Amino acid sequence: MTQQMRDSRAPSAKDPSVKDVAAAAGVSLGTVSNVLNRPSTVSAATRQRVERAMSELGFVRNESARQLRAGRSRALAYVMLDGGNPFFHDVAAGIEPAAEAAGLSLFVCNSDGRADREARHLDLLVQQRVQGILLTPVDPDAPHLAEISRRGIPLVMVGRSNRAGDRCSVTVDDVSGGRIAAEHLVDRGHRRIAFVGGPDSIGQVRDRLRGAREIWAEYGRLAEDLIHLPTEALTVGEGRAAGERLAGLPSRRRPTAAFCANDLLALGLLQHAVSVGLRVPDDLAIIGYDDIDFAAAAAVPLTSVRQPRRELGRTAARLVLDEAADPGHRHEEAAFAPVLVARASTGTIRSHAG
Amino acid sequence: MTQQMRDSRAPSAKDPSVKDVAAAAGVSLGTVSNVLNRPSTVSAATRQRVERAMSELGFVRNESARQLRAGRSRALAYVMLDGGNPFFHDVAAGIEPAAEAAGLSLFVCNSDGRADREARHLDLLVQQRVQGILLTPVDPDAPHLAEISRRGIPLVMVGRSNRAGDRCSVTVDDVSGGRIAAEHLVDRGHRRIAFVGGPDSIGQVRDRLRGAREIWAEYGRLAEDLIHLPTEALTVGEGRAAGERLAGLPSRRRPTAAFCANDLLALGLLQHAVSVGLRVPDDLAIIGYDDIDFAAAAAVPLTSVRQPRRELGRTAARLVLDEAADPGHRHEEAAFAPVLVARASTGTIRSHAG
DNA sequence: ATCCCGCCATGAAACGTTTCATTATCAAGT
DNA sequence: ACTTGATAATGAAACGTTTCATGGCGGGAT
């Protein structure tokens, strides 16, 4: 027996508009608008009559019309680099309340590391006339970004600034982060370490490696004792694969610690280590980057270099809103310092005999 | 020295419209529109002239105006229940390509388990006149959902159907999932197990527990040997806390295995177990639910009950698009079967002496 | 020569909102 | 009685797009 829907609305009925409300309440269209936007200018009696009509008709403002009239949408957008990495969702979670406080919606898009997808998303966002765009870019110097700025749309880079520095950005110093991580390993007595990460096209990866190398040199270690294990992506699977290669090294070349370019790699590496019976940190110390929630939640809690993810989002939102509101806006580069969060995965101090 | 921006656009210049393009190309406004929407009806020469004008002026369609004219937006929305749980992002990742294939954008919102936030998001989405809404609801029978349907907006429930069943839904049978998990533990020889999960207000949690109890009874086990450890949320932290309580039980009452209502709880429990030196699975077997990527990536890879996350999203998108397009649409309840993914965290067969 | 048809291009109308200059009403002050 | 001012309500215009009925034009068939 088929369920008979007694639907209170014919499927094709169209939404009531301000005009319908005005008619129902016996007032002019402008008055309805006043009730919506400047209720204090409307007498109490009329206001109530209009409000009653609204709820009876089930009136809902049409956002498209508002936007058309206003000339721009009431939305912000964040285009993230990797939807599979919780780090970016946490950045987004930092943006959201700021957007909400400003009465704006937030579009969240994922470029998935692909320039074409990024471009497509940006295209759509420009069509939407969003008030501002936050972006963790595939390539911070790509020409289509300049195009956005030229249109006058506020654009804030998150996690990477462009070469020219002619726009706002919110960054965490990755070279410094690399130094912190490497120094932590040096402090723990490690004399041969690996850097796990790639591809090189990602600026963050390059910088983190650079920082590590700096420290390594400053402590007088040999360059060849910092082994770069390149990966094709920053994923758990690649981390596992790197573990295989690590295990394949002849034992005198095998590092006692690994610095991974992000936490996903570190988790993959950790998993591989555990699966082949290596003890972490005793046989292999591991340090990640980003300090996503799952780093702390790992079975061997992961030492990591924390980026203030929510703060990053919050600040970026502040900058983009400022640029959208203030014609005299000066571009600003907000830089945060990464901090080491030491946990069990690098726990013990190694003896010199190590 | 301050950088002097020689900007090619005055900051207050407004976007060129079809009208401007028409003027620049020396054609009528309707012709420009034809170039955009029905290029075959325009002669090659005119078309090129118009296209040239467009790119010279930097014309970009105004989506608000299109939407206003069309009467509805070109977007779908997904309101997820918990942005901190990768499961929902994976569902979203399943929706996206389907939306894209239909030429629609996807709004992703997060209710964070709070009815008020859910209501607010839905409100905004109705104002946007989205073509359809996918929702993992806080409460599938909440009255404001009926309101959406009454408006004629396609609404598909993801992961939970409402009582009346008068709309489309995409579900995975949670009772069956609970049975599968519990049976797996029974198979492994466990005679005393815990169910970790809560709050009870979440239907999925209730169902999974119910399934576990069914199996437990069918195998003739005592109800008191299935201990319910309630949690206040489905998070890693709560999983850790549950671990504390588990450890606090007198040893003759202590379970040898735990079935967690989701993977986040399981990861937290796993972490606690490892931190107090319990071996997993030997001292404590753990099984999670959802099979998020981090379950497989855990140091002790987590046995879990898999829900086809992307498939869930894809199917939900298909249903909502069908409802939006087809006036004769019949509501459909797509149900998927959960499947057990056995990994190391429940690895060994227990001896009867256990 | 006339008619018809296909091909292009046209421009007015409509979508639903907000704004703003205008008008109506009425009470208070002279 | 007349002005002033405040308070309410009005309705036309504008935002940028798409649609659609209309019309011009040239060529082929009658």
Side-chain angles (χ1 to χ4, degrees):
Chain A
M1 185 185 265
T2 309
Q3 174 158 5
Q4 205 62 22
M5 291 257 284
R6 73 178 68 215
D7 204 345
S8 62
R9 161 194 291 268
S12 61
K14 85 173 180 36
D15 295 339
S17 71
V18 279
K19 203 188 296 184
D20 301 319
V21 173
V27 298
S28 82
L29 179 164
T31 299
V32 177
S33 178
N34 283 335
V35 169
L36 288 167
N37 302 298
R38 281 173 302 281
S40 69
T41 71
V42 180
S43 75
T46 319
R47 187 167 59 233
Q48 278 162 27
R49 204 143 36 88
V50 171
E51 279 163 352
R52 186 129 170 286
M54 282 182 178
S55 76
E56 268 171 13
L57 294 175
F59 169 79
V60 174
R61 268 154 129 131
N62 182 321
E63 183 66 20
S64 311
R66 299 186 74 188
Q67 286 180 14
L68 173 57
R69 183 62 230 251
R72 59 181 179 167
S73 82
R74 302 151 42 75
L76 245 39
Y78 176 45
V79 183
M80 60 172 70
L81 190 59
D82 175 11
N85 187 345
F87 173 79
F88 295 104
H89 291 288
D90 292 339
V91 173
I95 299 169
E96 239 243 275
E100 186 173 341
L104 302 178
S105 302
L106 177 67
F107 289 83
V108 177
C109 311
N110 173 21
S111 70
D112 230 345
R114 286 168 38 192
D116 59 329
R117 278 181 56 97
E118 177 181 292
R120 220 185 90 77
H121 281 305
L122 292 175
D123 248 26
L124 289 174
L125 294 171
V126 175
Q127 290 184 26
Q128 307 262 11
R129 301 293 193 271
V130 293
Q131 295 205 13
I133 299 178
L134 317 198
L135 172 68
T136 302
V138 175
D139 168 9
D141 296 304
H144 61 271
L145 303 188
E147 172 62 21
I148 305 269
S149 301
R150 196 145 29 75
R151 294 204 104 73
I153 300 177
L155 175 62
V156 173
M157 312 297 265
V158 179
R160 198 106 261 268
S161 76
N162 68 329
R163 204 175 300 279
D166 58 353
R167 48 180 152 256
C168 284
S169 65
V170 179
T171 59
V172 182
D173 185 338
D174 286 300
V175 176
S176 155
R179 293 175 60 95
I180 289 171
E183 189 157 31
H184 178 68
L185 295 180
V186 169
D187 281 352
R188 297 296 190 180
H190 294 281
R191 311 193 68 83
R192 192 161 45 243
I193 67 175
F195 175 83
V196 178
D200 255 5
S201 58
I202 300 177
Q204 284 87 337
V205 174
R206 287 196 307 268
D207 285 356
R208 289 165 198 175
L209 173 55
R210 183 145 70 89
R213 284 192 169 135
E214 283 179 13
I215 282 289
W216 203 242
E218 287 171 23
Y219 276 85
R221 304 297 168 90
L222 298 175
E224 68 194 51
D225 284 337
L226 197 174
I227 300 167
H228 181 189
L229 288 177
T231 61
E232 300 195 349
L234 300 171
T235 62
V236 173
E238 282 289 306
R240 250 187 319 250
E244 304 271 5
R245 276 179 289 147
L246 203 61
L249 292 175
S251 64
R252 19 167 220 93
R253 286 207 62 218
R254 198 175 306 142
T256 57
F259 168 30
C260 298
N262 83 351
D263 285 340
L264 299 182
L265 288 173
L267 289 172
L269 180 59
L270 171 62
Q271 183 186 23
H272 179 268
V274 170
S275 76
V276 299
L278 287 176
R279 287 165 309 154
V280 175
D282 306 274
D283 298 325
L284 179 68
I286 300 177
I287 180 168
Y289 206 107
D290 287 348
D291 194 30
I292 61 177
D293 287 339
F294 289 102
V300 182
L302 204 61
T303 296
S304 192
V305 178
R306 163 175 300 181
Q307 312 202 60
R309 309 160 258 152
R310 283 198 158 68
E311 184 83 17
L312 231 45
R314 190 143 39 99
T315 306
R318 184 172 58 71
L319 292 177
V320 85
L321 289 171
D322 183 71
E323 184 167 349
D326 174 14
H329 170 87
R330 301 261 60 181
H331 291 309
E332 199 175 318
E333 306 220 346
F336 289 91
V339 326
L340 182 85
V341 181
R343 298 202 184 87
S345 71
T346 54
T348 55
I349 309 270
R350 290 187 74 78
S351 71
H352 287 287
Chain B
M1 184 184 268
T2 309
Q3 173 158 6
Q4 206 59 24
M5 290 256 286
R6 72 177 67 214
D7 203 346
S8 62
R9 159 193 293 268
S12 61
K14 85 173 181 35
D15 294 340
S17 71
V18 279
K19 203 189 295 183
D20 301 318
V21 173
V27 299
S28 82
L29 179 164
T31 299
V32 177
S33 179
N34 283 335
V35 170
L36 289 168
N37 301 298
R38 282 173 301 283
S40 68
T41 71
V42 181
S43 75
T46 320
R47 186 167 59 232
Q48 279 163 25
R49 205 143 35 88
V50 170
E51 279 163 352
R52 188 133 167 283
M54 282 182 177
S55 76
E56 269 171 13
L57 294 175
F59 169 79
V60 175
R61 269 153 127 129
N62 182 320
E63 182 65 22
S64 311
R66 300 186 73 188
Q67 285 179 13
L68 173 58
R69 182 62 229 252
R72 58 181 180 168
S73 84
R74 302 150 42 74
L76 245 40
Y78 176 45
V79 183
M80 60 173 70
L81 189 58
D82 175 12
N85 188 342
F87 173 79
F88 295 104
H89 292 287
D90 292 338
V91 172
I95 299 170
E96 239 244 274
E100 186 173 340
L104 303 178
S105 303
L106 177 66
F107 289 83
V108 177
C109 311
N110 172 22
S111 71
D112 230 347
R114 287 167 38 192
D116 59 329
R117 278 181 56 94
E118 177 181 293
R120 219 185 91 75
H121 281 304
L122 292 175
D123 247 26
L124 289 174
L125 294 171
V126 174
Q127 289 184 26
Q128 307 261 11
R129 302 293 194 270
V130 293
Q131 296 206 14
I133 299 178
L134 317 198
L135 171 69
T136 302
V138 175
D139 169 8
D141 296 304
H144 62 271
L145 303 187
E147 172 62 21
I148 304 269
S149 300
R150 196 143 29 74
R151 295 203 104 72
I153 299 177
L155 174 63
V156 173
M157 312 297 265
V158 178
R160 198 107 262 266
S161 76
N162 68 330
R163 204 175 300 280
D166 57 354
R167 49 179 151 256
C168 284
S169 64
V170 179
T171 60
V172 182
D173 185 338
D174 286 300
V175 175
S176 154
R179 293 175 60 96
I180 289 171
E183 189 158 32
H184 178 68
L185 295 179
V186 169
D187 282 352
R188 297 296 192 182
H190 294 280
R191 311 193 68 83
R192 192 159 46 243
I193 68 175
F195 175 84
V196 179
D200 256 6
S201 59
I202 300 177
Q204 283 88 336
V205 174
R206 287 196 307 269
D207 285 355
R208 289 165 198 176
L209 173 54
R210 184 146 68 88
R213 284 193 169 133
E214 284 179 13
I215 282 289
W216 204 244
E218 287 171 22
Y219 277 85
R221 304 297 166 91
L222 298 175
E224 67 196 51
D225 285 336
L226 198 175
I227 300 168
H228 181 189
L229 287 178
T231 62
E232 300 195 349
L234 301 171
T235 62
V236 174
E238 283 288 308
R240 253 189 314 253
E244 303 272 4
R245 276 178 289 146
L246 203 61
L249 291 175
S251 65
R252 15 165 222 92
R253 287 207 60 218
R254 197 174 308 141
T256 58
F259 168 30
C260 298
N262 82 352
D263 285 339
L264 299 183
L265 287 173
L267 289 172
L269 180 58
L270 170 62
Q271 184 187 21
H272 179 268
V274 170
S275 76
V276 299
L278 286 176
R279 287 165 309 154
V280 175
D282 306 273
D283 299 325
L284 179 69
I286 301 178
I287 179 168
Y289 206 107
D290 286 347
D291 194 31
I292 62 177
D293 288 337
F294 289 103
V300 181
L302 205 61
T303 296
S304 192
V305 178
R306 162 175 300 180
Q307 311 202 61
R309 309 161 257 152
R310 283 198 157 68
E311 184 82 18
L312 231 46
R314 190 144 39 100
T315 306
R318 184 172 58 71
L319 292 177
V320 85
L321 288 170
D322 182 72
E323 184 167 350
D326 174 12
H329 170 86
R330 302 261 60 184
H331 291 310
E332 198 174 318
E333 308 220 346
F336 289 92
V339 327
L340 183 83
V341 182
R343 298 201 184 88
S345 73
T346 54
T348 54
I349 309 269
R350 290 186 74 80
S351 71
H352 288 286

